[in-house]
């Protein structure tokens, strides 16, 4: 399709002419429209493998929601999970993990209760601890709840729980100052739950963080999705609270009160359209090749459904 834009001789410019560029842009726009037509305006039938993966994800998130409800811990669907809930009433078709946000006081309380609840459930293939990214050795980040098998290389389904903080004051230098303070936090925290609050208090004294409600909030220093300016934002509390429930797959979960403003801040005003680039972690393709994968996934699904049915 692109042969017409190849350089025909060494004398001709390697770059397309204005007319050729316009034709190429029109072709890209048409392909983008096709993707929107397919993925936004139609419901696609899942393969048995994908149906199992999605069911495990919804059941894991339901288990998380059950614990949060029991202990009055508030959370909200975040990032691509929130986008999927609003745009697709379920997963973005190529997404393969779950993102939730939680304000700091709720995050502390969640960390206090979740490990004991998980142990009580008796689930063998659900594990939880803090992320230690390979791309930033020595830093310990947000909490993760993952479905894993020993013979699998990594998780096949998981929830990233991202902490957020209220802030009392910010100016034009706040974001650079925030990033400058983060290494101090990573040095101060050893990854133990009981030491997290002290590490936050000792290393973030100049970031104007607050456990009490204020007009604005930001991603926590122990978060990690804000390396790019498009995601790290100072957000308005009025767009977040009070939380509400909307459909995500087979259940309803908590989301920001004004999802339009919240998603626009993160992804821009055209978030209801399929983006011109997409990102996945490769898990859906990788695990499909594993031997006995359907048997393993069915076992995981049944374990989670039982945990939810017996939850008290």
């Amino acid at each position: 399709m692109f042969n017409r834009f190849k350089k025909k001789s060494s004398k001709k410019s390697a770059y397309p002419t204005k007319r050729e560029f316009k034709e190429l842009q029109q072709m890209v726009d048409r392909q983008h429209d096709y993707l929107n037509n397919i993925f936004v305006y139609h419901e696609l039938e899942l393969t048995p493998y994908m149906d199992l993966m999605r069911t495990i994800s919804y059941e894991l998130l339901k288990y998380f929601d059950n614990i949060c409800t029991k202990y009055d811990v508030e959370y909200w669907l975040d990032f691509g999970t929130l986008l999927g809930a609003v745009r697709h009433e379920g997963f973005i078709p190529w997404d393969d993990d779950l993102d939730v946000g939680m304000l700091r006081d709720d995050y502390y309380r969640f960390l206090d209760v979740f490990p004991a609840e998980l142990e009580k459930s008796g689930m063998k293939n659900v594990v939880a601890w803090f992320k230690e990214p390979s791309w930033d050795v020595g830093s310990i980040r947000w909490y993760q709840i993952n479905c894993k098998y020993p013979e699998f290389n990594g998780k096949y389904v998981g929830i990233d729980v991202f902490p957020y903080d209220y802030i009392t004051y910010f100016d034009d230098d706040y974001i650079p100052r925030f990033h400058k303070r983060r290494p101090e936090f990573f040095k101060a925290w050893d990854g133990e739950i009981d030491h997290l609050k002290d590490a936050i208090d000792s290393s973030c004294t100049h970031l104007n963080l607050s456990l009490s409600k204020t007009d604005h909030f930001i991603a926590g220093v122990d978060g990690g999705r804000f390396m790019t300016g498009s995601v790290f934002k100072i957000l308005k509390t009025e767009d977040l609270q009070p939380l509400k429930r909307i459909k995500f797959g087979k259940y309803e979960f908590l989301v920001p009160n004004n999802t339009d403003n919240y998603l626009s801040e993160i992804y821009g005003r055209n978030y209801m359209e399929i983006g011109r680039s997409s990102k996945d972690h490769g898990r859906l393709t990788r695990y499909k090749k594993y031997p006995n994968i359907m048997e393993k996934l069915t076992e995981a699904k049944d374990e989670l459904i039982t945990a939810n049915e017996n939850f008290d």
Side-chain angles (χ1 to χ4, degrees):
M1 159 169 94
F2 300 105
N3 287 344
R4 78 176 89 171
F5 302 117
K6 289 183 177 179
K7 184 172 67 172
K8 295 181 180 179
S9 71
S10 58
K11 295 181 180 180
K12 187 174 179 181
S13 171
Y15 299 100
T17 65
K18 186 175 181 180
R19 179 178 178 180
E20 289 172 336
F21 181 83
K22 185 176 181 180
E23 290 177 3
L24 181 59
Q25 183 65 56
Q26 288 173 342
M27 283 192 289
V28 171
D29 289 342
R30 282 196 296 271
Q31 297 299 319
H32 187 237
D33 289 341
Y34 294 154
L35 289 176
N36 274 289
N37 193 293
I38 293 170
F39 291 119
V40 177
Y41 304 120
H42 292 79
E43 293 185 7
L44 305 180
E45 185 175 349
L46 299 176
T47 65
Y49 166 75
M50 185 63 80
D51 185 55
L52 271 175
M53 279 290 203
R54 294 305 192 220
T55 300
I56 292 168
S57 298
Y58 295 134
E59 293 296 335
L60 179 64
L61 190 58
K62 179 59 178 174
Y63 178 74
F64 168 85
D65 177 78
N66 285 338
I67 292 175
C68 290
T69 300
K70 177 178 178 178
Y71 292 98
D72 294 321
V73 172
E74 290 195 334
Y75 71 90
W76 63 92
L77 302 187
D78 209 357
F79 297 113
T81 306
L82 176 61
L83 179 59
V86 171
R87 195 170 67 191
H88 305 274
E89 294 189 355
F91 272 91
I92 296 172
W94 47 86
D95 202 4
D96 56 10
D97 68 353
L98 297 155
D99 300 322
V100 300
M102 198 175 278
L103 286 162
R104 182 67 62 181
D105 192 47
D106 289 294
Y107 190 63
Y108 286 153
R109 290 189 292 117
F110 176 76
L111 295 178
D112 281 342
V113 301
F114 184 81
E117 284 287 345
L118 180 58
E119 183 177 1
K120 186 176 76 172
S121 74
M123 288 190 287
K124 300 176 182 179
N125 301 309
V126 179
V127 297
W129 200 243
F130 298 97
K131 183 176 179 65
E132 298 183 47
S134 59
W135 38 265
D136 193 3
V137 177
S139 67
I140 303 174
R141 309 278 176 133
W142 61 90
Y143 202 65
Q144 292 187 309
I145 306 162
N146 296 328
C147 292
K148 301 178 72 172
Y149 277 103
E151 60 267 40
F152 286 10
N153 181 24
K155 66 180 180 181
Y156 54 92
V157 165
I159 303 174
D160 290 324
V161 186
F162 295 107
Y164 286 78
D165 289 289
Y166 287 120
I167 53 175
T168 58
Y169 171 79
F170 62 92
D171 53 24
D172 292 341
D173 295 326
Y174 185 87
I175 292 178
R177 189 164 69 250
F178 180 97
H179 287 294
K180 186 176 180 179
R181 287 284 173 178
R182 293 185 72 222
E184 296 182 26
F185 165 77
F186 294 136
K187 291 178 182 178
W189 188 38
D190 59 4
E192 293 296 323
I193 290 177
D194 294 341
H195 302 163
L196 176 58
K197 187 176 187 302
D198 287 341
I200 292 284
D201 291 345
S202 65
S203 62
C204 303
T205 53
H206 300 290
L207 294 182
N208 309 319
L209 306 183
S210 173
L211 292 177
S212 300
K213 185 176 180 179
T214 65
D215 291 338
H216 296 87
F217 66 103
I218 56 166
V221 291
D222 41 348
R225 289 288 185 92
F226 45 79
M227 297 302 291
T228 60
S230 62
V231 176
F232 181 61
K233 301 282 188 177
I234 296 173
L235 301 165
K236 295 180 180 179
T237 303
E238 66 181 10
D239 291 335
L240 178 67
Q241 297 173 336
L243 299 171
K244 62 183 181 182
R245 287 186 179 267
I246 66 171
K247 187 175 186 294
F248 179 68
K250 58 189 296 187
Y251 300 112
E252 290 188 347
F253 298 99
L254 291 170
V255 299
N257 185 269
N258 191 329
T259 54
D260 181 53
N261 282 354
Y262 190 94
L263 286 169
S264 295
E265 281 293 327
I266 298 174
Y267 296 111
R269 296 303 303 180
N270 295 327
Y271 67 84
M272 287 299 288
E273 297 180 8
I274 299 296
R276 292 181 181 270
S277 63
S278 62
K279 179 183 178 182
D280 66 75
H281 304 95
R283 299 186 194 101
L284 296 175
T285 301
R286 183 169 70 250
Y287 288 121
K288 192 175 189 300
K289 302 173 183 177
Y290 275 58
N292 303 319
I293 184 63
M294 298 298 287
E295 178 183 334
K296 292 290 188 183
L297 293 180
T298 299
E299 178 184 316
K301 178 200 71 172
D302 292 343
E303 182 180 66
L304 280 162
I305 289 174
T306 299
N308 282 324
E309 289 176 345
N310 297 332
F311 188 84
D312 57 17

